[in-house]
Amino acid sequence: MLQSSFLTDLLATITNRTQQTAATRDARPIKELCEVLLSNIGDVSANSVVRSILHKYRKLNDAERMQFFRCLAEDFDIDPDAVGMLAQRYADTRSARDLAALTAQAEPRRQEILRRLNRVPGATADLVAMRCDLFDAIAKDPALARIDLDFAHLFASWFNPGFLVLRRINWNSPANILEKIIAYEAVHAIDSWDALRLRLLPEDRQCFAYFHPSMPEEPLIFVEVALTNGIPGDIQSVLADDRDATPAGRMDTAVFYSISNCQAGLRGISFGNALIKHVVEDLSASLPQLKTFVTLSPIPGFREWIDGVLADQSTPEAGALRTALHKSEQEPAQVDDKTTEPLRRYIAHYLVHERRAKGDPMNAVARFHLGNGAIVHNVYACGDRSANGQRASYGAMVNYLYDPAKIDRNIEDFTTTGTVATSRIISALLKTPRTLINKAT
């Protein structure tokens, strides 16, 4: 049995090396290979062509990649006249046959190229990396953006949450995965292995990540969770090196304090909503004593907005607000509720009432959580005293609360009328007049 397994593995290795060697020797231009790939060739030949295309693409320099993308955009685009003719024919007949013809003609040939490129092991990761290159190319030539419509369409299907695998990341996870958690952490930097250990090893600190079966060594997104007694209002207490771990019997709250997307090539493909729901289900099953699920989230952009509100203001309220902003950089022991309440009123206003031209909240993190059914639960003037927290928001942070009984209703209200669900704490803060905003507008 062992001998049979060894021979099977050896044969697979030899076959793979043979195929890779054939790919490196194929002298045909990459455009010609793309045309061949679209023809009716057998699976073995198609796989060889795919390997040749991917091998050649990896060797291209920046200028050659721009040429490749322009080729995809121009030579493998749709025929607008043919699409228009078929659309008119279908409008007249409404037949399934004409609809099928229209659908086939309306899909750019490059989309089928990308689809067929994804047929060999490792190709999915190559295509994700290719989309990163495409983003750089689009910055130089915006006309190439139409290629990204094909990537986005395919990736939305290939990376459907139903295909993803949830894995808990702990201190015993493979070193290459742990290194990527350190590298990809985008909210609260991990500056050492000791810092990572403190986020993974104690049982009251957990981390979960989504993986795709075709990219088993590459996390797509991960969330870090603190299991606490009560809802924390600052990130320093959550990440403190000398903190006491919360005993299992006192854990009643799961705090999602960092969510990081890992793959730049999957920009615009949403995993966060499914990840949070999946982790809530897992934690609820394994730790039924958990009753509260909240985030401790940054508020990027708040500093720029409040600075704009305060510009050229010299009223007593503006002075009190500037004092609160100064105090927010100090230790919590030096800050009291009376001093920071003016600032908390403006934080609440910014999250709930400040809108983009589209009518949705100005803050991107708020849009994400509110769109997933969360409630704006509480805001803090001194939540993040790190340099990054000060640069982004003068240290302001917010709890978004996920109440399973209210999520569906909150989503419906938010998507249909733009209504933001808030707690009594936030409602009380919003009732207090904010005269500086009235004067600025």
Side-chain angles (χ1 to χ4, degrees):
M1 195 72 169
L2 289 174
Q3 185 178 10
S4 175
S5 176
F6 170 76
L7 290 175
T8 300
D9 292 343
L10 179 60
L11 180 60
T13 300
I14 293 173
T15 301
N16 186 52
R17 288 179 179 174
T18 301
Q19 292 170 337
Q20 290 178 350
T21 301
T24 61
R25 290 177 178 173
D26 197 321
R28 288 175 290 183
I30 196 168
K31 179 184 176 181
E32 180 181 339
L33 289 171
C34 287
E35 293 283 7
V36 172
L37 184 61
L38 290 174
S39 64
N40 294 320
I41 57 176
D43 288 345
V44 174
S45 297
N47 288 349
S48 177
V49 170
V50 166
R51 289 188 175 89
S52 295
I53 292 173
L54 294 176
H55 173 76
K56 288 178 181 295
Y57 178 81
R58 293 187 204 106
K59 300 296 184 180
L60 299 179
N61 59 35
D62 289 346
E64 291 167 336
R65 285 177 180 169
M66 285 291 293
Q67 184 179 357
F68 170 72
F69 287 133
R70 288 188 175 120
C71 174
L72 288 181
E74 300 296 337
D75 298 334
F76 296 96
D77 201 6
I78 63 171
D79 181 342
D81 294 334
V83 172
M85 180 189 70
L86 290 170
Q88 184 58 55
R89 181 185 299 172
Y90 174 66
D92 296 337
T93 67
R94 297 288 172 160
S95 74
R97 182 168 142 183
D98 288 336
L99 176 59
L102 171 60
T103 301
Q105 191 68 45
E107 179 181 285
R109 293 200 301 154
R110 60 178 171 265
Q111 189 173 125
E112 184 60 21
I113 291 173
L114 298 177
R115 189 178 289 114
R116 296 189 183 192
L117 285 176
N118 195 39
R119 60 186 299 155
V120 300
T124 304
D126 282 334
L127 290 171
V128 171
M130 187 183 294
R131 191 177 183 222
C132 287
D133 297 335
L134 176 60
F135 290 149
D136 293 337
I138 291 171
K140 300 174 183 176
D141 184 356
L144 299 177
R146 59 183 184 268
I147 302 175
D148 192 48
L149 297 176
D150 302 297
F151 274 99
H153 173 74
L154 294 173
F155 284 1
S157 297
W158 298 348
F159 291 91
N160 183 296
F163 297 138
L164 305 184
V165 178
L166 182 71
R167 286 160 53 183
R168 181 179 172 187
I169 308 299
N170 58 38
W171 192 240
N172 295 320
S173 296
N176 65 318
I177 300 295
L178 297 182
E179 287 175 344
K180 288 167 183 174
I181 296 298
I182 292 175
Y184 290 138
E185 166 59 61
V187 184
H188 304 293
I190 303 173
D191 56 13
S192 69
W193 283 93
D194 284 340
L196 178 64
R197 179 177 56 81
L198 290 172
R199 299 198 194 185
L200 299 179
L201 191 56
E203 280 303 306
D204 67 339
R205 296 294 181 269
Q206 298 190 13
C207 178
F208 297 86
Y210 263 151
F211 291 81
H212 192 278
S214 296
M215 301 170 62
E217 302 301 313
E218 282 289 341
L220 307 181
I221 185 174
F222 64 89
V223 60
E224 296 170 74
V225 187
L227 305 178
T228 64
N229 179 254
I231 300 175
D234 71 278
I235 193 62
Q236 275 69 37
S237 64
V238 171
L239 300 180
D241 294 348
D242 58 351
R243 67 174 186 82
D244 294 326
T246 306
R250 297 191 62 215
M251 295 176 187
D252 61 12
T253 302
V255 184
F256 300 88
Y257 65 89
S258 180
I259 301 177
S260 298
N261 287 294
C262 306
Q263 305 299 322
L266 294 177
R267 188 171 72 197
I269 311 301
S270 178
F271 308 115
N273 180 23
L275 177 63
I276 290 176
K277 289 181 178 177
H278 203 158
V279 172
V280 167
E281 291 173 359
D282 276 26
L283 289 175
S284 297
S286 61
L287 298 167
Q289 70 269 32
L290 297 176
K291 303 301 180 185
T292 303
F293 297 89
V294 299
T295 74
L296 182 57
S297 299
I299 313 178
F302 174 73
R303 180 168 186 147
E304 181 181 1
W305 175 80
I306 195 67
D307 283 347
V309 170
L310 286 171
D312 301 322
Q313 297 277 354
S314 58
T315 64
E317 184 177 354
L321 197 55
R322 290 190 180 93
T323 298
L325 293 172
H326 173 70
K327 288 288 187 180
S328 71
E329 302 182 52
Q330 302 178 15
E331 293 295 319
Q334 298 174 281
V335 177
D336 56 59
D337 290 341
K338 183 177 180 181
T339 303
T340 61
E341 175 137 352
L343 177 54
R344 293 180 64 235
R345 293 200 299 267
Y346 281 86
I347 297 170
H349 172 92
Y350 171 73
L351 293 171
V352 176
H353 291 312
E354 288 299 313
R355 305 292 174 117
R356 299 192 299 175
K358 295 180 179 180
D360 54 353
M362 182 181 293
N363 186 264
V365 179
R367 291 196 298 272
F368 171 78
H369 289 294
L370 296 172
N372 291 328
I375 299 167
V376 183
H377 178 71
N378 204 353
V379 293
Y380 306 95
C382 308
D384 185 355
R385 297 185 304 280
S386 70
N388 185 55
Q390 291 298 317
R391 281 193 301 270
S393 64
Y394 283 114
M397 298 195 79
V398 54
N399 295 133
Y400 296 103
L401 173 69
Y402 282 86
D403 183 346
K406 299 179 180 179
I407 285 177
D408 289 341
R409 180 177 177 180
N410 292 341
I411 292 175
E412 182 177 356
D413 290 346
F414 183 72
T415 55
T416 58
T417 66
T419 301
V420 173
T422 61
S423 67
R424 292 181 179 178
I425 298 170
I426 298 299
S427 296
L429 289 170
L430 293 174
K431 288 179 181 178
T432 307
R434 290 158 298 283
T435 58
L436 292 181
I437 296 173
N438 296 332
K439 289 184 178 181
T441 57

